[in-house]
Amino acid sequence: MKVVHTVEELRDQLRGQLRAAFVPTMGNLHEGHLSLMRMARQHGDPVVASIFVNRLQFGPNEDFDRYPRTLQADIEKLERERDVYVLFAPNETEMYPEPQSFRIQPPEDLGGILEGHFRPGFFDGVSTVVMKLFSCVQPSVAVFGKKDYQQLMVVRKMCRQFQLPVRILAHETVRDTDGLALSSRNMYLSPAERAEAPQLYAGLQAVQARIKSGQADLRDIEGAAAQALEKRGWKVDYLALRRQHDLNEPTTEQIQQGEPLVVLAAAKLGNTRLIDNLEI
C-alpha cells in the first residue's frame, strides 16, 4: 500500500486510472471502515482510502481537538487487509492551503433537518470536503456507510445535482454482537455506558416492531421511543420516523400503505453523542 500526504503525490499514483473506488474516512479505523474497503474492492480498481479529520464539519463546542487520530495503527490495519492501493493522509494545510471561502451548501430541506438542525453547518463541511476529495481522487465509485444515513443522502444528491461521474454505493451498518453500531466515538464510552449503548438500537427496533404491527400514529411512536431512552438517562436530540427517499415525514396513509421508512436517532449518553438508524 502506498501512503501519500500531498495531492500531487496522490495524482501521480492515480494517473491514468479510470476505475478507482474510493472510501473517505476520518481515521481511527474499525471493522465498519474495513468492510467499506472490501466492498470498494468488488466495484473498482484500484481502491483508494483517505484519512482526514475535517475541521469544517465540527462545531465550535464539538470534539475536533480530541477526535482520535491513530494514523500508524490505521496504516497497519489497511496493510493487513490488502485491499487498498493508496492511502491519502493529508494534513490540514494540504487540504485547505487558504481559507475555504467556497463551500457546498446542501438544500435546507435535506441538510438543515435532523442532524443538520442540531449541528448547524455540519453538512456544509461534509459536502465541501467530499467535493474536494472527489476532485483529488476522481473515482468512478465511492463507498459510504448507512450508519450516517443523512450524510449518504446529502452526498448522493450533491453528485446528482453537480452531475459528478461518481457512483455512490451504500454499505449496511456494521454492528457489534450486542447491536451497537460501530463508531470511532464508541471509545469515549465508559464501561457502564458501553453496556447501556445498545439500547439506542433497541429503541429503533421497537419503532420498527410497532410499524410492522400496523400502528401508524407518528407522534405517539416517536414520542414513546424517545421517552423510553430518556427514562434510562439518555438525552435525545431526535428520534424521527421518515420516508427513506427524501427524509420527509410520512403521512398516516403512507405508513399504513407500506411506504419505505427509516427511523433515525441521535442521543447523548453521558458526554458521548451516538447516532443510529434502521430502515423499515
Side-chain angles (χ1 to χ4, degrees):
M1 183 180 72
K2 314 285 187 182
V3 181
V4 299
H5 301 282
T6 70
V7 175
E8 183 178 3
E9 291 174 316
L10 175 68
R11 287 175 174 162
D12 282 344
Q13 290 294 330
L14 296 178
R15 189 164 285 114
Q17 302 283 1
L18 302 177
R19 295 186 59 252
F22 180 43
V23 182
T25 82
M26 291 205 302
N28 194 229
L29 303 182
H30 50 67
E31 178 58 28
H33 295 112
L34 299 179
S35 66
L36 303 183
M37 311 293 173
R38 297 175 199 132
M39 182 177 187
R41 190 69 184 86
Q42 297 172 5
H43 294 275
D45 184 27
V47 175
V48 182
S50 68
I51 292 176
F52 178 66
V53 183
N54 177 41
R55 185 187 296 270
L56 291 189
Q57 69 193 68
F58 288 80
N61 298 313
E62 294 183 348
D63 58 341
F64 175 78
D65 290 327
R66 70 187 184 105
Y67 193 87
R69 292 160 171 85
T70 55
L71 181 59
Q72 189 53 48
D74 293 342
I75 290 172
E76 292 170 4
K77 289 177 182 178
L78 292 176
E79 287 179 332
R80 286 197 295 271
E81 285 294 314
R82 299 184 179 181
D83 284 314
V84 177
Y85 172 64
V86 179
L87 171 62
F88 179 43
N91 62 24
E92 201 165 16
T93 302
E94 183 67 18
M95 283 300 291
Y96 299 114
E98 59 183 64
Q100 189 67 34
S101 54
F102 284 91
R103 300 201 185 192
I104 306 296
Q105 185 173 18
E108 191 66 19
D109 63 349
L110 178 59
I113 62 173
L114 301 172
E115 199 70 2
H117 173 76
F118 285 92
R119 301 181 67 188
F122 170 68
F123 287 118
D124 296 14
V126 168
S127 301
T128 300
V129 78
V130 170
M131 179 70 89
K132 290 194 78 161
L133 288 167
F134 283 177
S135 175
C136 295
V137 177
Q138 298 187 15
S140 63
V141 299
V143 182
F144 290 79
K146 281 189 180 181
K147 185 179 79 70
D148 298 288
Y149 201 89
Q150 190 175 1
Q151 173 180 279
L152 172 65
M153 294 189 67
V154 166
V155 171
R156 278 182 163 159
K157 190 159 192 171
M158 180 184 76
C159 289
R160 284 199 307 271
Q161 293 204 351
F162 284 100
Q163 300 201 25
L164 300 181
V166 184
R167 185 161 55 106
I168 305 301
L169 303 178
H171 192 287
E172 296 297 329
T173 300
V174 179
R175 301 183 181 278
D176 212 330
T177 54
D178 58 5
L180 178 64
L182 299 188
S183 168
S184 296
R185 289 187 168 98
N186 290 352
M187 66 178 294
Y188 297 156
L189 297 167
S190 70
E193 289 167 346
R194 176 60 188 82
E196 170 65 21
Q199 290 301 317
L200 183 60
Y201 183 51
L204 303 183
Q205 291 176 305
V207 170
Q208 180 187 55
R210 292 188 65 179
I211 295 295
K212 288 188 172 184
S213 73
Q215 298 180 47
D217 187 327
L218 181 69
R219 294 289 172 256
D220 180 60
I221 293 170
E222 292 177 339
Q227 188 176 48
L229 285 171
E230 287 168 348
K231 285 182 177 178
R232 301 181 68 94
W234 295 73
K235 182 181 181 299
V236 178
D237 281 350
Y238 60 86
L239 194 153
L241 187 63
R242 299 298 176 97
R243 301 189 307 196
Q244 285 184 22
H245 73 279
D246 61 7
L247 295 190
N248 285 338
E249 287 189 355
T251 63
T252 299
E253 291 74 20
Q254 288 171 335
I255 296 173
Q256 292 171 334
Q257 292 167 5
E259 171 83 20
L261 304 173
V262 57
V263 55
L264 309 100
K268 266 191 170 183
L269 186 58
N271 293 318
T272 304
R273 187 175 185 272
L274 301 177
I275 66 169
D276 203 351
N277 65 80
L278 180 61
E279 291 179 322
I280 302 173

